[in-house]
Amino acid sequence: MSTLIDSPITAVIVGAGHRALLYASYAQTHPDELRIVGVADPRRHRREQAAHLYNLPPERCFATAEELAAHPKFADVVINGTMDHQHVPTSLPLLRAGYDMLLEKPFATSEEEMWTLVETASRYRRRVMICHVLRYTPFYAAIRQRVQQGLIGDILNIQTVEHVSYHHMAVAFIRGKWARQAESHSSMLMAKCCHDLDLIAWMKSGILPRAVASFGSNFQFRPEKAPQGAGSRCLVDCPIEPECLYSARKHYIDHPERWRFYVWESLEQMEAPTLEDKIASLKGDNPYGRCVWKCNMDVVDHQSVLIEFMDGATATHNMIGGAARPSRSIHLLGTLGEIQGVFEESRFVIRHIDPRPGHEYSEEVVDLRINGDMHGAFAGHGGGDARLVADFVRVMRGEPPSLSTTTLQDSVVGHLIGFAADRAMAERQTVDLSYAVARLPQP
Ligand SMILES: NC(=O)c1ccc[n+]([C@@H]2O[C@H](COP(=O)([O-])OP(=O)(O)OC[C@H]3O[C@@H](n4cnc5c(N)ncnc54)[C@H](O)[C@@H]3O)[C@@H](O)[C@H]2O)c1
C-alpha cells in the first residue's frame, strides 16, 4: 500500500477485460499517480496479459475477486471492470476486505442489489466511485458548471436523447453481450443509458425524482421483420448478404478495428489473427456472425422514459437503437434560459430571453473543440475515460472531489430512475418513487 501522500496509489485490476485495462492504462501514462500491483480474473490468458503488462509477481495474480478478498489487503484500491451482473457479487467481499473501488456501470442489475452495495459500502466506510464517464467530458462538465452557476435558473424540463448507431446496436444488443437480459441481467436502458439518466439526475442535483413512466419494445430485430430469404448466418447461408445493411462481413471484416474487443474475443488467444481466421470464425460459432433478425434477443431496441421531480420539473430520455449516426443530445430549459447541445459536436448554446424591440433571444455558443483535447491518445468517451481515472486518483489521495466526482450515493438516483423505468415499461404503469425517498441521499 502507498504510504506517502504523494506516492502513487496502488490498484488491483479485478476483471482484466476491455474496460478495466483501459482505466488501468492510466498507470502507464501517469506512473507517479497510479501503480497496478495485482490482478484477479478467472481467464488465465487475461490474467497473464495483465501480469505481463504491469510486471506482476505470481503471488499478486488471483483467479477471482473472491480469492483476492480472502488474501490480506495489499493495495489501496481495486478497479472493478467485471460484467454488469458480477459487479455487486465481486464488490461485496472486496469492500469488506477494506478496498476502496472504481466500479463500472451499471453498478447493479436490480434495485435490491443496488441497496445492498450502498449499505455495505457505508457499513465498511469504503469509497466507491462509479464509471459515469460522461460527467467527466468537457461537454457535460461545462453544461453542469453553467447550471450550477444558475445561468438558466431553475430547471423545469430536461430532454436527453441517445441514438445508438446500427453497428453499435448490432454488436452489443443484438449479437453481443447485452442482447439477452436473461444472460447479462441488464436491460438495454441500464446498459446503455444509465449514463444519460445519471446526467439528468446530476443536472437536477438536490431535487429527487418522484415518479417514472416508460414505453419501449423491440420494434425491428425480430424474425418476422427479417428481409425475405435471409439466412441464419451472414457468411454461411444468406443469399441477401450482399445487400444487407447488417451483414457481419460489412460490419466486422470491412471495418476490422471497429468493436474488435467484442467481435474477436474468441480469437484473443491468437497472437495476430489473419483475415482468413476472422472469416472462418464468423462462418463458425462466433456469435457475431449471426443474422440480426434471428438472434433471439430479449431487450428493446427503443425506449422512452418520462420522469417527474419533487419540484414538479419533468425530464424525458429517448433511446433509439439502429440509427445511421450515433448521437447524444441534451436540452435543458430553465426559468432564466436554456442550454442545448449535441455531445458529438462538442458544442452547445446558451439562450436567454431578450424582450427588447427587434430582439427575441440572445445566444452564446460554447465550442469545446477550441482548446479541446477530444482526439488525444486517451480520448475514449470524449475524453471522459482519462479524466475519470485522474479524478478517482485525486479523490483517493484525499484531494477535494471535483464537479464531476461520482460517489456511489450520487449514482444511486440515476440507477433508481432506470430500474423504475424498466418496471414501468414492463407493468405498463407509472412507478411512484416515494417508497424509495427515505433511502436516497437527502439534499
Ligand atoms: N463506462 C462506460 O461507458 C462503459 C462502456 C462499456 C462497457 N462498460 C461496462 O464495463 C463492464 C466491463 O465490460 P467489458 O466489455 O470490459 O467486460 P469483459 O467481459 O471484457 O471483462 C470482464 C472480465 O471480468 C472477468 N471476471 C468474471 N468473473 C470474475 C470474478 N469473479 N473475479 C474477477 N474477474 C472476473 C472476466 O473473466 C472478464 O475478463 C461492463 O459492466 C460494461 O457494462 C462501461
Side-chain angles (χ1 to χ4, degrees), residues 13-21 23 40-43 46 62-67 80-87 89-90 104-106 131-134 168 177-178 186 190-192 195 261-262 265 268 328 381 385 388:
I13 298 170
V14 173
H18 163 60
R19 294 301 301 176
L21 287 185
Y23 297 129
D41 196 304
R43 299 194 212 181
R46 290 189 169 188
F62 302 85
T64 62
E66 297 76 0
E67 202 182 283
N80 187 340
T82 55
M83 276 292 289
D84 309 10
H85 64 289
Q86 294 156 337
H87 290 161
T90 54
E104 258 303 358
K105 51 54 51 180
C131 297
H132 278 308
V133 289
L134 292 186
H168 193 168
K177 297 197 287 192
W178 293 274
S186 280
M190 288 305 287
K192 196 73 200 74
H195 284 305
F261 42 86
Y262 295 148
E265 189 180 313
E268 73 180 20
R328 266 193 162 103
H381 287 106
D385 291 352
L388 165 87

Side-chain angles (χ1 to χ4, degrees), residues 1-13 23-24 26-28 30-38 54 56 73-79 99-102 127 129 388-399:
M1 272 178 282
S2 57
T3 46
L4 294 171
I5 188 75
D6 52 358
S7 61
I9 67 154
T10 53
V12 184
I13 298 170
Y23 297 129
Y26 189 84
Q28 293 169 341
H30 299 80
D32 51 326
E33 294 181 34
L34 179 67
R35 190 150 59 87
I36 304 299
V37 296
Y54 295 102
L56 307 174
K73 182 173 181 262
F74 64 90
D76 299 314
V77 302
V78 298
I79 297 174
Y99 288 100
D100 290 326
M101 189 176 295
L102 181 65
R127 292 170 296 177
M129 262 177 68
L388 165 87
V389 186
D391 192 52
F392 176 66
V393 168
R394 272 197 306 270
V395 173
M396 292 303 130
R397 283 175 148 191
E399 291 171 37

Side-chain angles (χ1 to χ4, degrees), residues 12 89 94 127 144 149 156 207 255 293 299 351:
V12 184
L94 290 166
R127 292 170 296 177
R144 173 65 192 145
Q149 287 166 346
L156 61 118
I207 314 285
H255 293 91
W293 287 278
V299 296
R351 295 188 196 100

